[in-house]
Amino acid sequence: MAAPLASKAGSAGTTTKPPFPELDFRSGARVEELNKLIQEFTKHDQREYDDQRALEIHTAKDFIFSMLGMVQKLDQKLPVANEYLLLSGGVREGVVDIDLDELNVYARGTDYDMDFTLLVPALKLHDRNQPVTLDMRHSALCHSWLSLRLFDEGTISKWKDCCTIVDHINGATNYFFSPTKVADWFYDSISIVLSEIQKKPQRGMPKVEKVEKNGTIISIILGVGSSRMLYDIVPVVSFKGWPAVAQSWLMENHFWDGKITEEEVISGFYLVPACSYKGKKDNEWRLSFARSEVQLKKCISSSLMQAYQACKAIIIKLLSRPKAISPYHLRSMMLWACDRLPASYLAQEDYAAHFLLGLIDDLQHCLVNKMCPNYFIPQCNMLEHLSEETVMLHARKLSSVRSDPAEHLRTAIEHVKAANRLTLELQRRGSTTSIPSPQSDGGDTNQPDDRLAKKLQQLVTENPGKSISVFINPDDVTRPHFRIDDKFF
């Protein structure tokens, strides 16, 4: 009797089918394949930098910071002790909420190899220990005018030529800080400084390949060695503390609770030079929480970030015309998803495909309902101004992605591979090489650049695997300061 039982058990074991591969219901794509495609995209999109590339990155940053120090010395408008926020990725990558329709199209590989956004405070309000109340009477939600009445007479005198003037019935004059006039002044000042710098080129100095004003953004492309770096420089107003209009957001539960402190999240915010759809461009600024977003990013899982980057690459190409959806909208949706979904689910390392499909679904849902709340000021709908025709056009385009996500991922991979090939080809040709650049007449002037390069190269060699940064003292922008992890040199 035992044998038949064993035979029966064996028979049952041989007829059991393996689990069916997990499929995406909508497209029929295998989730395992989508995960592999996302991993491949990440591998090509996030390249490792060797010592030479690290040196070139820091040389470019040193040049930009030194240039801004010279801008400050021109007319003393910029704060002497300034604090810049440097973000990885250009404005076109959605690192700040600025409209893209006024920006020239730059392509990675063709125009640049790496891109950064630098927020440069033109004015600072850093002594506030209470919620900051802004003048939003004339503006749409998430926007504000800025009266110089908040500042001293010296500041008003320095900046009044960059203001619009409103005379009141009672005879008082109010100066409103103008984002367009500030951007014009900033571009003119940077152009003057770069012109002076290029008259006396020094060995090791980056080559300025392009300087353009894109709306209220100044875009500079530098050639350093074999690298081309895009810097989108944004003049901003910097505040310590938190705006009163976003105070209710702090009362809600968020995914970052317990992971980072509230003090880190609400340490400051900005006004960036961007107006609402019907706003007055000369007067209206947009609230930006870029400093907070840097902190929140620490709490987002690597698999979700990979899905976000892959989704962003797809929509930048697909939804570029007409320009209605920016990567910043996608970033906002990702933050809302982090609040909505369990942290244990979002932490799953092999769920990148699920997250990608979910982000596409979220974006399509927002388009169909013409509703995308700002993460920090939810009452502000960032899609409110779009026409029904535009949102439905983009929703239909996203429907094609959702029907075949694997094919669109392969296209994104080919695009990033092509960009990398262009970069390598230009490096081989040496077409952007500017080290050494034409030397200045005085031999001694080359020594500081040589010492900077040698010092950084030594630090990179002696400290493998450590975080190495270059900081510029705002009071003396000519001297670099190196930091390795928490130690300064």
Side-chain angles (χ1 to χ4, degrees), residues 372-387:
C372 179
N374 181 283
Y375 181 66
F376 299 92
I377 306 177
Q379 60 269 37
C380 173
N381 176 12
M382 297 189 291
L383 300 183
E384 186 177 24
H385 64 280
L386 297 182
S387 68

Side-chain angles (χ1 to χ4, degrees), residues 7 31 37 42 54 73 112 121 141 175 184-185 260 286 289 296 382 393 463 479:
S7 174
V31 170
L37 289 171
T42 302
K73 292 175 183 177
Y112 65 89
L141 269 171
Y175 295 94
D184 289 341
W185 164 83
I260 53 178
R286 180 172 297 160
F289 301 90
L296 299 186
M382 297 189 291
L393 171 65
N463 296 274
R479 296 180 57 201

